[in-house]
Amino acid sequence: MEFELPILSPSILAADYSNLGNQLQLCEKAGTKWIHCDIMDGHFVPNISFGPDVVAAVRDSAPNMFLETHLMIENPDNYIEAFADAGSELITVHLEACPHLHRTLNLIQLNGCMTGVAINPATSLELIRPVLKIVDLVVIMTVNPGFGGQTFIESSYEKIQRLTAIRMEEQTQFLIETDGGVGLKNIQKLVKSGADILVAGSSIFRADDIPERIELLRKKANLGRKDFV
Ligand code: DX5
Ligand code: ZN
């Protein structure tokens, strides 16, 4: 996988579902390389979003984008195959929903996908140490998962910085993603703190001009990378 960092990954949770193909085209036109699908089950999180059929439709509408699926669901093992078959290239599960995390990550790999592990804002980084050498992506939730358009939790910057230090300590290579409340006001500082992938939902899809917003976000993210490197 060769991508230039930082990467902006639009979350379709905030998209206009009656016009999804067109919204994805707008993203593509603005040079979007990754797309983020949020799966919510009404149990692990209080909201319900969509399932594998919609992910397959995203795959068809955006065949060139790298498709990441963020499972905010209980018992993710039961659904990994379906989301892999739908065209996901990376599947993220929540530490808080996985009592047998190695087994779950193994299952994602067996289904031909890259692996991600997400942690909620109140979950300690120490809890993911045992899997840091085997995951491709760590997602630091910067809101409590379940809804788009929530307020970014400010203590997240420090958590990202600590994770970049742990990555050095452990001499490993996973990517760091931030998800929730990302927008023009904080994207530069997030990248400066160590974020490699920035998920943004409402900031992109609620903008009047989607391609223009993507470009602006990317510009600010790139400034943050200069500060970080
Ligand atoms: C939150 C989801 C996010 C969400 C981000 O539960 O995992 O991916 O769509 O939306 P915004 O950018 O609106 O906070
Ligand atoms: Zn997400």
Side-chain angles (χ1 to χ4, degrees), residues 11 13 36 38 40 70 72 141 145-149 179-181 199-202:
S11 160
L13 189 67
H36 184 95
D38 282 310
M40 304 177 178
H70 177 192
M72 287 162 276
M141 291 307 299
F147 301 94
D179 187 3
V199 176
S202 34

Side-chain angles (χ1 to χ4, degrees), residues 38-171:
D38 282 310
I39 314 302
M40 304 177 178
D41 66 350
H43 293 274
F44 178 67
V45 291
N47 195 8
I48 295 177
S49 60
F50 50 81
D53 290 349
V54 172
V55 175
V58 171
R59 175 76 297 162
D60 286 349
S61 305
N64 300 320
M65 285 190 208
F66 182 81
L67 202 164
E68 52 161 339
T69 297
H70 177 192
L71 298 182
M72 287 162 276
I73 63 175
E74 285 179 4
N75 302 316
D77 295 22
N78 296 345
Y79 301 94
I80 284 166
E81 189 180 352
F83 283 105
D85 287 351
S88 309
E89 287 164 279
L90 185 151
I91 295 181
T92 295
V93 291
H94 267 262
L95 169 84
E96 300 86 356
C98 296
H100 311 291
L101 186 56
H102 286 86
R103 183 184 294 156
T104 304
L105 294 171
N106 203 13
L107 194 59
I108 295 173
Q109 279 168 347
L110 284 174
N111 278 277
C113 295
M114 292 173 72
T115 54
V117 62
I119 54 170
N120 285 340
T123 301
S124 162
L125 287 173
E126 288 307 316
L127 296 177
I128 48 168
R129 248 195 221 260
V131 297
L132 289 181
K133 285 204 156 73
I134 56 169
V135 288
D136 298 301
L137 177 82
V138 172
V139 182
I140 299 292
M141 291 307 299
T142 42
V143 299
N144 284 288
F147 301 94
Q150 299 183 84
T151 305
F152 175 82
I153 294 174
E154 292 287 324
S155 58
S156 307
Y157 297 118
E158 200 214 318
K159 200 172 184 183
I160 297 160
Q161 285 162 5
R162 277 192 290 123
L163 184 57
T164 59
I166 292 173
R167 182 169 61 184
M168 292 248 279
E169 238 172 84
E170 298 277 339
Q171 298 185 353

